């Protein structure tokens, strides 16, 4: 170890002690100190914390509220449950309930299961490949997700990416590289400081009170105390004054955006939860796994197959027409099979795109233009692969694959075979309209009545379910659901080239400092089908992510694609001379938002209606978790809520240590 590194570690350990002392000194009364407080003042609490988390022995995962009684595994009498939403949360809930003897019916609006990890077939030249909503990393502290993987015996479908890089534009910072690390806090941070080439650029000044308070928050996360202190602030507000600039640039900004929430719209408390789960409370390190094939085949299909093997029923392209309420709970729901937007649906006005001559509603890949008489609307979602078409002089053009439509949405040329969908404006409420298909696909309507209902959609989906409710909706449920927010939209561009290139970083690399791009994935080095395509063609497949871009800066999908391509050539200059063979764009606005002041009223798993439970990453979680692990854990919590009411053993759930070691 170099002398400078030794001095830096010494400062870091001083900071650990001060991180303990500062909150104690600021919160204790002036007299009548308890014996426990005096011991903490003497630093014994810090010593105990450091000893408790050994340098050499990795802590075991924390068990969340284990059952203390030996209860039955399966329900004792016939019970039924309807799960609405076939993403990870809904699949996890349906899986757990179906294996416990509950007769489950799962309804998914999309043609394929998986939600944000769904896969679908695309055509690239003469080859069929699978497209996704973007690469997802499976971190080792995803204990509940991997417990499901192990139950299904599909661990072989995952592969380690060995290490993980964060690369910064320009020469101010050198790339950070994260590898597996089986030491708990504070040693994982010590290891990070030793290995980081930017350790002297963190900008931490031990003499500044604000810097000490920052360290107290990131090393002392606790539910609900951290939310009580920080949930009223956005990340941008919290870091506005006297914040360690290097710490923000190197860690806070790239990892805040990887939560799919922009710093100006994300609660500082939620970021602390995110940091605790991925950094300070995590003894597993930041290297992660990817799937050997698309996530549909690797994870979604095995879960669905097991649900069906347990007697469950799954319907895709299932559209909930109405949710009937009676006596403060859900009585039944009706659904149809077919056109995924046959049921009337609400969309919000889009002021960023609307002009004096054209009014737009929706965003991302669900965008609609209203006619001049405001009686009909045209879907701008290309019927080929779902990109958003752009208005031109003689109609609409798809920026992804070249399909062309006239002003009425009729196909003129290109790969599209169906006209753009048209809708009738049924109702207006302020800045939103209710649309219904002008040419609905005939479909029979079925009614389902069950003992329990699990709403496991995304935020727009659960709000749509409440908008389709009849009868007296439980008031607290309506209030909580209406208050949920979505994050800024995200975009994924995947590009096929005729040649490979040299790349020294990880196959998935976070990027910082670009206008749009937040990460790059080399698919031709990760997934088997893409590896085979590259071996046969000599080409490469590169994917760029924009986690939470601002619509005012990139109002159209053409602007997204143009910027992605420009930044890709900056990131990989060797591709400037390559020929692009194909490209795909995914653009949606359905990730959960965690804005300031949202935690207090965020719904918990058990709703205020006795037979309705919630699952999804928008649900308030009682323990630290994030992204896919949050979705899966919420689904298991929903199942546990039902199993608890039925007197059954609950599924054992795991998490990282629930609170930071420097909590007081």
């Amino acid at each position: 170890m170099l002398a400078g590194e030794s001095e830096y570690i010494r400062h870091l350990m001083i900071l650990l002690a001060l991180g303990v002392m500062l909150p104690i000194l600021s919160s204790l009364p002036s007299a009548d100190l308890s014996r426990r407080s005096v011991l903490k003042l003497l630093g014994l609490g810090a010593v105990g914390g450091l000893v408790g988390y050994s340098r050499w022995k990795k802590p075991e995962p924390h068990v969340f509220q284990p059952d203390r009684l030996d209860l039955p595994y399966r329900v004792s009498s016939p019970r039924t449950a309807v799960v609405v939403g076939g993403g990870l949360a809904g699949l996890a809930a349906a899986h757990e309930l179906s294996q416990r003897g509950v007769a489950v019916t799962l309804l998914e609006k999309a043609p394929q299961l998986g939600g944000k990890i769904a896969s679908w077939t695309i055509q690239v030249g003469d080859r069929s490949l699978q497209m996704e909503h973007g690469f997802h990393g499976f971190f080792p502290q995803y204990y509940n997700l991997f417990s499901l993987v192990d139950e299904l015996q599909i661990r072989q479908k995952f592969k380690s990416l060995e290490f993980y890089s964060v690369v910064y534009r320009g020469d101010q910072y050198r790339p950070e590289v994260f590898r597996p690390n089986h030491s708990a806090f504070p040693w994982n941070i010590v290891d990070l400081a030793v290995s980081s080439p930017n350790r002297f650029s963190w900008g931490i000044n031990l003499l500044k009170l604000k810097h000490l308070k920052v360290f107290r928050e990131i090393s002392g996360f606790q539910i609900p105390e951290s939310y009580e202190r920080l949930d009223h602030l956005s990340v941008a507000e919290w870091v506005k004054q006297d914040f360690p600039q290097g710490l923000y640039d190197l860690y806070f900004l790239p990892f805040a955006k990887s939560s799919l929430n922009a710093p100006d719209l994300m609660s500082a408390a939620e970021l602390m939860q995110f940091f605790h789960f991925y950094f300070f409370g995590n003894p597993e390190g930041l290297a992660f796994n990817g799937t050997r094939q698309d996530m549909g085949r690797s994870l979604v299909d095995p879960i669905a197959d097991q649900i069906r093997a347990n007697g469950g029923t799954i319907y895709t392209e299932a559209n909930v027409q109405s949710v009937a309420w009676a006596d403060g709970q859900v009585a039944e729901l009706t659904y149809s099979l077919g056109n995924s937007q046959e049921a009337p649906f609400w969309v919000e006005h889009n002021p960023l795109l609307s002009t004096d001559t054209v009014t737009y509603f929706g965003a991302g890949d669900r965008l609609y233009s209203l006619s001049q008489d405001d009686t009909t609307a045209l879907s701008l979602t290309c019927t080929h692969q779902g990109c958003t078409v752009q208005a031109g002089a003689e109609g609409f053009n798809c920026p992804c694959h070249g399909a062309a439509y006239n002003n009425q949405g009729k196909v003129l040329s290109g790969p599209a075979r169906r006209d753009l969908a048209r809708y009738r404006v049924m109702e207006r409420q302020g800045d939103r309209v209710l649309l219904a298909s002008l040419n609905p696909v005939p479909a029979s309507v079925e009614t389902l009545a069950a003992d329990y209902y699990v709403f496991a959609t995304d935020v727009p989906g659960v709000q749509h379910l409440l908008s389709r409710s009849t009868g007296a909706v439980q008031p607290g449920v309506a209030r909580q659901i209406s208050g949920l927010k979505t994050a800024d939209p995200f975009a994924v561009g995947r590009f096929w080239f005729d040649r490979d290139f040299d790349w020294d970083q990880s196959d998935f690399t976070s990027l910082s400092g670009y206008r749009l791009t937040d990460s790059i994935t080399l698919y031709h080095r990760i997934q088997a089908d893409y590896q085979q395509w590259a071996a046969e063609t000599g080409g490469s497949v590169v994917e760029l992510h924009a986690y939470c871009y601002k619509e005012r800066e990139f109002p159209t999908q053409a602007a997204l694609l143009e910027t992605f391509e420009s930044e890709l050539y900056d990131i990989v200059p060797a591709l400037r001379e390559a020929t692009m063979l194909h490209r795909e764009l995914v653009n949606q606005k359905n990730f959960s938002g965690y804005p300031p002041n949202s935690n207090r009223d965020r719904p918990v798993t058990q709703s205020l209606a006795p037979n309705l439970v919630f699952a999804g990453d928008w649900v308030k979680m009682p323990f630290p978790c994030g992204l896919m692990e949050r979705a899966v854990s919420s689904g298991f919590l929903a199942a546990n809520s039902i199993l608890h009411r039925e007197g059954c053993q609950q599924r054992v759930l795991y998490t990282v240590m629930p609170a930071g070691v420097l909590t007081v």
Side-chain angles (χ1 to χ4, degrees), residues 167 501-507 509 511 520 522 525 571-572:
V167 176
F501 54 90
D502 293 330
W503 182 252
D504 295 331
Q505 306 303 327
S506 51
D507 293 341
T509 295
L511 302 171
I520 181 172
L522 279 56
R525 300 187 186 178
I571 298 162
V572 188

Side-chain angles (χ1 to χ4, degrees), residues 509-524:
T509 295
S510 285
L511 302 171
S512 186
Y514 293 88
R515 284 186 63 220
L516 179 65
T517 305
D518 294 309
S519 70
I520 181 172
T521 306
L522 279 56
Y523 261 81
H524 62 292

Side-chain angles (χ1 to χ4, degrees), residues 211-407:
H211 292 201
L212 294 175
K213 288 183 177 179
V214 168
F215 190 82
R216 177 263 181 96
E217 295 296 351
I218 61 180
S219 59
F221 174 79
Q222 192 173 18
I223 299 173
E225 288 81 358
S226 293
Y227 286 93
E228 293 169 354
R229 290 193 300 268
L230 295 175
D231 195 50
H232 67 288
L233 294 170
S234 71
V235 174
E237 290 170 333
W238 188 51
V239 305
K240 187 185 303 182
Q241 294 182 342
D242 199 21
F243 195 89
Q245 188 62 44
L247 193 66
Y248 179 76
D249 293 341
L250 292 164
Y251 304 105
F252 273 61
L253 180 60
F255 285 97
K257 294 184 73 175
S258 67
S259 72
L260 289 305
N261 280 245
D264 61 322
L265 296 176
M266 184 182 190
S267 157
E270 282 292 342
L271 181 61
M272 291 305 96
Q273 192 272 158
F274 196 77
F275 258 71
H276 179 80
F277 180 66
Y278 285 96
F279 272 104
F280 282 80
N282 167 30
E284 309 290 351
L286 276 179
F288 48 78
N289 290 332
T291 53
R292 297 183 183 276
Q293 292 287 15
D294 60 280
M295 286 178 288
R297 284 178 288 176
S298 298
L299 181 59
V300 174
D301 291 349
I303 301 174
D305 290 344
Q306 189 60 49
I307 293 170
R308 295 187 181 99
N310 291 334
T313 302
I314 298 175
Y315 294 111
T316 56
E317 295 190 272
N319 307 283
V320 175
Q321 303 281 344
S322 65
V323 180
W325 289 73
D327 301 323
Q329 63 180 15
V330 178
E332 62 183 26
L333 60 79
T334 60
Y335 71 96
S336 63
L337 300 177
N339 186 335
S340 63
Q341 289 191 347
E342 181 181 342
F345 56 95
W346 290 96
V347 284
E348 303 283 340
H349 177 236
N350 189 321
L352 295 172
L353 296 181
S354 296
T355 66
D356 293 338
T357 57
V358 183
T359 304
Y360 291 93
F361 286 78
D365 62 351
R366 293 189 62 200
L367 190 66
Y368 308 86
S369 64
L370 258 63
S371 60
Q372 291 186 347
D373 59 8
D374 288 351
T375 60
T376 60
L378 181 68
S379 169
L380 301 184
T381 301
C382 180
T383 58
H384 173 234
Q385 290 292 346
C387 293
T388 299
V389 300
Q390 310 297 322
E394 299 180 357
F396 299 92
N397 299 288
C398 175
C400 297
H401 311 111
Y405 307 82
N406 67 14
N407 287 317

